[in-house]
Amino acid sequence: MSLPPGRLDRFARHIVLPEVGGAGQVALAGKHLVLVGLGGIGSPALQYLAGAGIGKLTLVDDDRVDASNLQRQTLYNERDVGHGKAVIAKRWVTGFDAALDVSISDRRITRDNAHELVVDADLILDGTDNFATRLAVADACVAERVPLLSAAVGRFQGQVGAFAGHLPNQPCYRCFVGDAFDAEDCDTCAEDGMLGAMAGWVATFAALQAVRILLDGVSALGEADWGRVHLLDGLKPGMRSFTITKDPACSACGSAA
């Protein structure tokens, strides 16, 4: 498989990178990524994921654009206020790169429908803002054997972690957070605030990690680094990382599951 001439020009800056190359760009064109949440993380992440040439994108969000979103959700403008985020996001992608295959879902994610959203995907990037949704998506990923990249942000801090709990000896997201957060009980940026640029930093780092995962085994960009969580601190600024181990008692991926 090769790229047509127009695509070679478009992705020339990727192709000249030894860590991506032509083989990597062709691989990205054949991948399917599901982006869950089109807010502070999903909005800027989508711009770089589409820019990377990931061939198939499924965009999931049931929310509508609010004026307060514009401070950090770079995909939207004032004319979009009151309109559905998923529809606007699809319109942006098709205008940005008509060669990409993009579909949307504007239904709220629950344990009942999460499985159908993740099946057949190569990677899920979750940037949602409540644990109930995150855990529903994470459990579906384990059940459908799909890797998960989880990203979260608040105030001046963010985190990005890669999970493949369906693999032996690899943790899932529930190994990280446990079972105590299935209710929608987490703080929101409306309550705590968020620096807009902080959301952008976490989002673009998540997009970088998504490309790394999708190219694992294809190019020399790096390993997927399963079970590793990166903490981003916008006040210092700085970043540190730690590794999660698989919990044998995990209700999603452990021996008790």
Side-chain angles (χ1 to χ4, degrees):
M1 182 178 176
S2 60
L3 297 171
R7 305 302 275 176
L8 290 173
D9 290 341
R10 186 175 189 121
F11 300 110
R13 300 301 185 274
H14 269 182
I15 293 170
V16 298
L17 292 170
E19 294 82 3
V20 179
Q25 196 59 54
V26 168
L28 290 175
K31 297 296 185 179
H32 177 198
L33 183 142
V34 177
L35 180 57
V36 185
L38 297 166
I41 292 172
S43 168
L46 174 59
Q47 295 174 303
Y48 282 95
L49 296 168
I54 296 172
K56 184 175 182 180
L57 298 166
T58 300
L59 313 178
V60 183
D61 201 306
D62 69 331
D63 199 9
R64 293 179 178 270
V65 179
D66 184 83
S68 65
N69 299 152
L70 303 181
Q71 162 254 10
R72 65 197 178 281
Q73 299 182 20
T74 54
L75 202 64
Y76 313 115
N77 58 54
E78 291 181 341
R79 292 174 295 178
D80 298 325
V81 172
H83 296 280
K85 291 182 179 179
V87 173
I88 296 167
K90 179 178 181 177
R91 184 191 310 148
W92 181 87
V93 173
T94 55
F96 175 76
D97 188 346
L100 301 183
D101 179 1
V102 56
S103 60
I104 63 172
S105 172
D106 58 3
R107 293 185 300 161
R108 187 163 187 81
I109 293 179
T110 66
R111 293 194 172 281
D112 295 329
N113 64 20
H115 288 259
E116 63 190 74
L117 290 172
V118 308
V119 68
D120 296 330
D122 295 295
L123 177 65
I124 311 300
L125 172 51
D126 186 346
T128 54
D129 62 359
N130 71 84
F131 279 111
T133 301
R134 285 178 172 275
L135 287 167
V137 171
D139 290 351
C141 285
V142 174
E144 299 296 338
R145 304 185 62 79
V146 177
L148 170 68
L149 185 63
S150 176
V153 63
R155 292 177 58 82
F156 300 95
Q157 287 78 39
Q159 65 183 36
V160 178
F163 301 94
H166 59 284
L167 298 178
N169 302 319
Q170 295 295 345
C172 72
Y173 180 73
R174 195 177 283 273
C175 292
F176 177 31
V177 302
D179 294 332
F181 297 106
D182 284 279
E184 298 187 23
D185 58 355
C186 61
D187 296 331
T188 67
C189 65
E191 299 165 340
D192 292 345
M194 183 192 304
L195 184 69
M198 189 68 216
W201 183 21
V202 175
T204 52
F205 185 75
L208 171 63
Q209 294 298 86
V211 172
R212 186 191 311 277
I213 291 170
L214 293 175
L215 292 183
D216 185 26
V218 177
S219 73
L221 185 58
E223 297 180 352
D225 222 7
W226 303 126
R228 193 158 185 81
V229 178
H230 303 276
L231 301 179
L232 291 74
D233 188 331
L235 284 179
K236 287 188 176 181
M239 185 169 71
R240 62 186 178 91
S241 307
F242 60 90
T243 301
I244 303 296
T245 57
K246 195 177 190 73
D247 180 4
C250 176
S251 61
C253 73
S255 57

XYZ file of all heavy atoms in Angstrom, residues 88-135:
377
model
N -20.441 19.603 14.848
C -19.472 20.651 14.492
C -18.092 20.047 14.264
O -17.379 20.431 13.329
C -19.420 21.719 15.589
C -20.757 22.430 15.704
C -18.311 22.734 15.307
C -20.902 23.266 16.942
N -17.714 19.099 15.107
C -16.405 18.462 14.968
C -16.299 17.713 13.639
O -15.261 17.783 12.958
C -16.153 17.524 16.134
N -17.346 17.000 13.266
C -17.319 16.300 11.986
C -17.203 17.293 10.838
O -16.452 17.068 9.877
C -18.568 15.441 11.815
C -18.594 14.707 10.483
C -19.814 13.810 10.328
C -19.763 13.093 8.973
N -20.904 12.161 8.805
N -17.940 18.397 10.914
C -17.866 19.407 9.873
C -16.444 19.950 9.753
O -15.944 20.178 8.654
C -18.843 20.538 10.177
C -18.922 21.605 9.095
C -19.690 22.820 9.587
N -20.966 22.435 10.183
C -21.540 23.096 11.173
N -20.944 24.161 11.702
N -22.698 22.701 11.649
N -15.797 20.146 10.900
C -14.418 20.652 10.868
C -13.493 19.644 10.187
O -12.675 20.013 9.347
C -13.922 20.943 12.279
C -12.523 21.475 12.269
C -12.137 22.777 12.142
C -11.310 20.700 12.309
N -10.758 22.861 12.113
C -10.233 21.613 12.212
C -11.048 19.331 12.432
C -8.906 21.196 12.226
C -9.720 18.908 12.437
C -8.666 19.829 12.341
N -13.602 18.360 10.555
C -12.720 17.346 9.989
C -12.909 17.244 8.479
O -11.930 17.193 7.719
C -12.953 15.968 10.646
C -12.146 14.888 9.931
C -12.576 15.996 12.117
N -14.148 17.210 8.024
C -14.388 17.069 6.588
C -13.885 18.287 5.819
O -13.444 18.170 4.668
C -15.878 16.849 6.302
O -16.649 17.909 6.883
C -16.352 15.524 6.882
N -13.931 19.457 6.433
C -13.383 20.648 5.790
C -11.870 20.680 5.817
O -11.229 21.219 4.911
N -11.293 20.075 6.852
C -9.834 20.059 7.004
C -9.178 19.033 6.096
O -8.137 19.296 5.489
C -9.491 19.769 8.470
C -8.027 19.615 8.742
C -7.193 20.715 8.789
C -7.474 18.354 8.956
C -5.831 20.572 9.039
C -6.123 18.212 9.217
C -5.304 19.326 9.254
N -9.780 17.829 6.016
C -9.196 16.755 5.204
C -10.320 15.833 4.749
O -10.752 14.940 5.481
C -8.154 15.983 6.009
C -7.379 14.980 5.173
O -7.808 14.690 4.043
O -6.329 14.490 5.650
N -10.769 16.051 3.528
C -11.904 15.300 2.990
C -11.595 13.821 2.803
O -12.514 13.012 2.628
C -12.352 15.913 1.665
N -10.319 13.441 2.824
C -9.947 12.041 2.623
C -10.173 11.190 3.867
O -10.166 9.956 3.786
C -8.491 11.938 2.185
N -10.382 11.822 5.017
C -10.568 11.066 6.253
C -12.002 10.567 6.354
O -12.955 11.250 5.962
C -10.225 11.937 7.465
C -8.808 12.503 7.512
C -8.596 13.291 8.800
C -7.764 11.400 7.378
N -12.156 9.385 6.904
C -13.463 8.772 7.145
C -13.886 9.133 8.563
O -13.258 8.685 9.533
C -13.354 7.252 6.970
C -14.659 6.520 7.235
O -15.672 7.174 7.542
O -14.657 5.275 7.141
N -14.913 9.953 8.719
C -15.310 10.426 10.042
C -16.782 10.130 10.291
O -17.630 10.343 9.434
C -15.013 11.936 10.219
C -15.674 12.763 9.131
C -15.402 12.427 11.591
N -17.067 9.578 11.463
C -18.435 9.325 11.887
C -18.613 9.859 13.299
O -17.627 10.125 14.000
C -18.767 7.832 11.837
O -17.906 7.099 12.692
N -19.856 10.041 13.713
C -20.107 10.637 15.017
C -21.155 9.843 15.791
O -21.944 9.095 15.221
C -20.573 12.106 14.905
C -21.913 12.188 14.171
C -19.523 12.959 14.219
C -22.531 13.583 14.182
N -21.144 10.044 17.094
C -22.216 9.581 17.974
C -22.490 10.689 18.979
O -21.574 11.156 19.649
C -21.815 8.303 18.722
O -22.792 7.974 19.696
N -23.742 11.131 19.041
C -24.104 12.173 20.004
C -24.984 11.618 21.117
O -25.721 12.343 21.770
C -24.781 13.356 19.313
C -26.029 12.956 18.544
O -26.406 11.766 18.584
O -26.620 13.832 17.888
N -24.872 10.302 21.352
C -25.564 9.688 22.483
C -24.669 9.702 23.709
O -23.448 9.593 23.598
C -25.938 8.240 22.170
C -26.983 8.064 21.090
C -27.369 6.598 20.960
N -26.209 5.777 20.606
C -26.159 4.466 20.777
N -27.162 3.808 21.331
N -25.082 3.794 20.412
N -25.275 9.838 24.870
C -24.498 9.769 26.103
C -24.023 8.341 26.320
O -24.774 7.378 26.166
C -25.333 10.231 27.297
C -24.511 10.338 28.590
C -25.223 11.164 29.626
N -24.409 11.410 30.801
C -23.464 12.347 30.886
N -23.231 13.121 29.846
N -22.761 12.507 31.985
N -22.769 8.196 26.701
C -22.189 6.870 26.894
C -22.669 6.274 28.207
O -22.640 6.925 29.254
C -20.664 6.946 26.874
C -20.177 7.325 25.478
C -20.042 5.616 27.290
C -18.682 7.444 25.384
N -23.084 5.025 28.138
C -23.482 4.257 29.314
C -22.829 2.879 29.226
O -22.208 2.537 28.212
C -25.009 4.078 29.380
O -25.429 3.255 28.266
C -25.722 5.429 29.298
N -22.993 2.107 30.261
C -22.455 0.746 30.224
C -23.139 -0.087 29.138
O -22.575 -1.053 28.629
C -22.654 0.066 31.576
C -21.814 0.709 32.664
C -21.758 -0.169 33.913
N -20.810 0.390 34.854
C -19.500 0.246 34.768
N -18.988 -0.441 33.772
N -18.704 0.788 35.656
N -24.355 0.297 28.781
C -25.108 -0.471 27.790
C -24.638 -0.228 26.366
O -24.750 -1.118 25.517
C -26.604 -0.139 27.887
C -27.210 -0.575 29.212
O -26.727 -1.588 29.775
O -28.142 0.096 29.690
N -24.139 0.976 26.067
C -23.759 1.249 24.674
C -22.263 1.458 24.466
O -21.819 1.640 23.325
C -24.528 2.463 24.134
C -24.198 3.759 24.862
O -23.166 3.894 25.514
N -25.099 4.725 24.755
N -21.468 1.445 25.526
C -20.033 1.701 25.372
C -19.364 0.656 24.487
O -18.466 0.981 23.696
C -19.357 1.744 26.746
N -19.808 -0.581 24.579
C -19.164 -1.654 23.819
C -19.270 -1.420 22.315
O -18.303 -1.615 21.578
C -19.783 -3.009 24.182
C -19.412 -3.481 25.552
N -18.450 -4.430 25.789
C -19.861 -3.112 26.772
C -18.324 -4.645 27.086
N -19.179 -3.854 27.708
N -20.430 -0.991 21.849
C -20.597 -0.814 20.408
C -19.782 0.352 19.872
O -19.489 0.413 18.671
C -22.076 -0.614 20.066
C -22.710 0.625 20.664
C -24.215 0.636 20.500
O -24.897 -0.134 21.228
O -24.703 1.398 19.644
N -19.387 1.273 20.742
C -18.589 2.415 20.313
C -17.110 2.066 20.170
O -16.397 2.688 19.383
C -18.750 3.574 21.294
C -20.113 4.260 21.304
C -20.196 5.258 22.447
C -20.384 4.957 19.975
N -16.632 1.097 20.931
C -15.204 0.783 20.917
C -14.858 -0.394 20.021
O -13.687 -0.548 19.638
C -14.673 0.519 22.346
C -15.052 1.653 23.286
C -15.163 -0.808 22.898
N -15.824 -1.210 19.668
C -15.533 -2.409 18.896
C -14.938 -2.022 17.537
O -15.326 -1.034 16.923
C -16.810 -3.261 18.728
C -17.833 -2.571 17.833
C -16.482 -4.648 18.213
N -13.969 -2.794 17.102
C -13.289 -2.614 15.808
C -12.331 -1.426 15.776
O -11.735 -1.153 14.726
C -14.287 -2.482 14.649
C -15.101 -3.755 14.447
O -14.563 -4.841 14.744
O -16.262 -3.659 14.012
N -12.164 -0.708 16.875
C -11.220 0.408 16.902
C -9.805 -0.104 17.175
O -9.604 -1.153 17.794
C -11.620 1.422 17.960
N -8.824 0.660 16.713
C -7.436 0.357 17.033
C -7.002 1.013 18.333
O -6.085 0.546 19.000
C -6.524 0.833 15.903
C -6.758 0.076 14.613
O -6.497 -1.140 14.593
O -7.225 0.691 13.634
N -7.670 2.117 18.690
C -7.334 2.836 19.916
C -8.503 3.718 20.307
O -9.155 4.320 19.449
C -6.093 3.711 19.696
C -5.653 4.593 20.872
C -5.198 3.733 22.054
C -4.530 5.545 20.445
N -8.752 3.801 21.621
C -9.730 4.741 22.177
C -8.952 5.828 22.907
O -8.090 5.524 23.738
C -10.687 4.052 23.171
C -11.270 2.767 22.575
C -11.783 5.013 23.603
C -12.054 2.957 21.315
N -9.263 7.074 22.608
C -8.734 8.201 23.377
C -9.890 8.811 24.148
O -10.827 9.359 23.554
C -8.084 9.238 22.467
C -7.654 10.568 23.120
C -6.817 10.340 24.367
C -6.908 11.448 22.127
N -9.833 8.696 25.465
C -10.916 9.184 26.326
C -10.484 10.479 26.997
O -9.528 10.495 27.773
C -11.248 8.120 27.381
C -12.457 8.495 28.232
O -12.881 9.669 28.212
O -12.981 7.610 28.928
N -11.211 11.557 26.696
C -10.952 12.843 27.332
C -12.168 13.368 28.054
O -12.327 14.589 28.188
N -13.043 12.476 28.520
C -14.267 12.888 29.197
C -13.971 13.372 30.612
O -12.865 13.199 31.131
C -15.291 11.740 29.231
O -14.693 10.572 29.817
C -15.751 11.403 27.816
N -14.996 13.958 31.235
C -14.757 14.645 32.513
C -15.496 14.039 33.687
O -15.719 14.710 34.686
C -15.107 16.129 32.376
C -16.579 16.351 32.032
O -17.325 15.356 31.890
O -16.985 17.521 31.902
N -15.935 12.762 33.590
C -16.517 12.130 34.771
C -16.142 10.651 34.804
O -15.966 10.007 33.768
C -18.035 12.321 34.813
C -18.754 11.515 33.754
O -19.035 10.339 33.949
N -19.039 12.144 32.612
N -16.004 10.129 36.013
C -15.508 8.770 36.187
C -16.501 7.721 35.708
O -16.097 6.644 35.258
C -15.155 8.529 37.657
C -13.815 9.068 38.053
C -13.716 10.137 38.910
C -12.652 8.505 37.560
C -12.484 10.647 39.281
C -11.411 9.004 37.917
C -11.327 10.076 38.784
N -17.796 7.980 35.827
C -18.769 6.983 35.389
C -18.587 6.675 33.910
O -18.577 5.507 33.495
C -20.183 7.474 35.669
N -18.430 7.717 33.104
C -18.206 7.511 31.672
C -16.852 6.872 31.429
O -16.718 5.932 30.628
C -18.295 8.852 30.925
O -19.578 9.425 31.133
C -18.066 8.651 29.431
N -15.822 7.364 32.110
C -14.479 6.823 31.914
C -14.434 5.321 32.215
O -13.811 4.544 31.478
C -13.489 7.546 32.812
C -13.141 8.947 32.340
C -12.188 9.621 33.333
N -11.709 10.866 32.784
C -10.673 10.992 31.957
N -10.004 9.909 31.599
N -10.306 12.155 31.486
N -15.068 4.923 33.302
C -15.024 3.510 33.682
C -15.868 2.653 32.751
O -15.503 1.512 32.461
C -15.471 3.351 35.130
C -14.429 3.850 36.143
C -15.036 3.957 37.538
C -13.210 2.939 36.167
